[in-house]
Amino acid sequence: MAQRASTASKKSTQVSTQVIRDLHERMVRIRLFETEAGKLMEAGKLPGFLHLYVGQEAVAAGVMAALRDDDQITSTHRGHGHAVAKGVGFREMYAELYGRVTGACLGRGGSMHINDLSRGMLGANGIVGAGVPIAVGAAFAARYKGEDSVAVTFFGDGATNIGAFHEGANMAAILGLPVVFVCENNGYAEFTPQSGHMLLTDVADRAAAYGMPSVIVDGMDAVAVHRAAAEAVARARAGAGPMMIEAKTYRFFDHQGVKGLRHPYRSDEEVAEWKSRDPIDLLEARALADGTATRADLDDVWQRTREEIADAIAYAEASPLPDPADLLMNVYSG
Ligand SMILES: Cc1ncc(C[n+]2csc(CCOP(=O)(O)OP(=O)(O)O)c2C)c(N)n1
């Protein structure tokens, strides 16, 4: 059975001021990146799909604050938050959403393929569950080369019904690989509630099938996520093998875009209840209450980030589209 973080974290020490500020900054960067991207999409400026991460920021921030630069991550179709938190630049990210040649994938990948190998971001992924075996492979490669880096794979509740998840979990466990499995359980796979696609209440229970320890955390609490992640990452780095973290969270926007298809699959009351536990509001309240930051400190982060985003959007809009003559560049055949 999965351990609940309330018991798991009792032995953890208080997090430092520096960590609280780090978590806050990463979450604000994701929130503003995503809300601006949503506006641009609604205005018809961005081609393609956009699966926004708003509401889930505490998970990416909490995990990434526990990683080193040389640690690697794999992501999902809802990948902007992971990329931002791992340090991928706003300019390359917006340019990619605009399909411009200055983008992270030279304008050829779009939202669901953003990657930056120099930052250890091995890629968003349009194929549900497909990031799991990639992270397992990255962890295998790191160990083979004698490095002590860790790989983290992010995936949703729905992804744990996919074969690639089970194959990856089994292989990581039997080989004792340094992988941290992070399930962002936002309660839905597209428009299907968790109870409609699996009989389990806790996805973390799936880890037991592979002999892997697991922990369940409040995914709206960045500090709780961070503590669990720091423990799992330290374990993996020390050679103790993989672990799964299930973060119970929620996406504030629709499955895709801001307004989405307006399917009535979630009640207004449910959405409002989760929004009342906005992860950034929770962390700000905590920081103000314990004197970690003043309102002016927090506002400064929002303001600096807004300025950086305005610059990045202007950069993306001023960048050229790829040249059609380069259509076959970076295309390989067997
Ligand atoms: C292999 C595969 N099957 C189906 C889809 C269509 N699809 C895209 S997102 C999604 C739901 C995924 O749910 P979950 O893993 O819980 O992630 P969330 O969207 O909740 O973040 C589905 C079924 C896909 N992209 N890939």
Side-chain angles (χ1 to χ4, degrees), residues 3 8-12 66 180 215 225-237 243 245:
Q3 203 184 0
S9 60
K10 265 188 190 141
K11 55 181 178 286
S12 307
V180 179
V215 64
V225 174
H226 179 66
R227 282 176 173 154
E231 208 170 309
V233 168
R235 242 186 123 263
R237 209 183 298 288
M243 182 167 170
I245 298 170

Side-chain angles (χ1 to χ4, degrees), residues 56 77-78 126-128 155-159 162 186 188-190 251 255:
Q56 301 186 199
H77 54 288
R78 200 175 302 289
I127 302 172
V128 170
F155 50 89
D157 45 298
I162 297 272
N186 59 20
Y188 293 84
E190 291 191 333
R251 61 174 155 70
H255 169 64

Side-chain angles (χ1 to χ4, degrees), residues 12 14 25 44 53 102 134 136 138 142 159 162 164 173 224 228 233 272 309 311 317:
S12 307
Q14 284 296 316
E25 181 150 2
Y53 192 73
T102 52
I134 296 172
V136 174
I162 297 272
V233 168
I309 283 180
D311 160 80
E317 291 189 349

Side-chain angles (χ1 to χ4, degrees), residues 30-31 52-59 219-220 249-253 274 277-280:
I30 299 170
R31 175 69 54 94
L52 299 171
Y53 192 73
V54 173
Q56 301 186 199
E57 293 91 345
V59 186
M220 307 311 262
T249 182
Y250 204 74
R251 61 174 155 70
F252 290 175
F253 293 148
W274 279 94
R277 300 198 62 245
D278 183 311
I280 302 183

Side-chain angles (χ1 to χ4, degrees), residues 96 101 103-109 115 322-334:
E96 193 55 41
V101 77
C105 311
L106 310 180
R108 289 157 170 77
N115 69 79
D323 184 342
D326 292 335
L327 187 65
L328 296 181
M329 191 174 81
N330 296 330
V331 175
Y332 302 93
S333 69

Side-chain angles (χ1 to χ4, degrees), residues 81-158:
H82 308 135
V84 168
K86 193 71 171 78
V88 183
F90 285 156
R91 282 184 164 202
E92 301 90 290
M93 288 188 62
Y94 277 117
E96 193 55 41
L97 297 187
Y98 273 88
R100 304 302 164 102
V101 77
T102 52
C105 311
L106 310 180
R108 289 157 170 77
S111 164
M112 283 188 273
H113 299 97
I114 290 177
N115 69 79
D116 184 346
L117 302 190
S118 71
R119 298 271 171 189
M121 166 47 170
L122 302 185
N125 206 312
I127 302 172
V128 170
V132 175
I134 296 172
V136 174
F140 182 90
R143 193 170 71 179
Y144 186 76
K145 289 190 279 184
E147 297 166 357
D148 71 344
S149 64
V150 166
V152 178
T153 180
F154 292 90
F155 50 89
D157 45 298

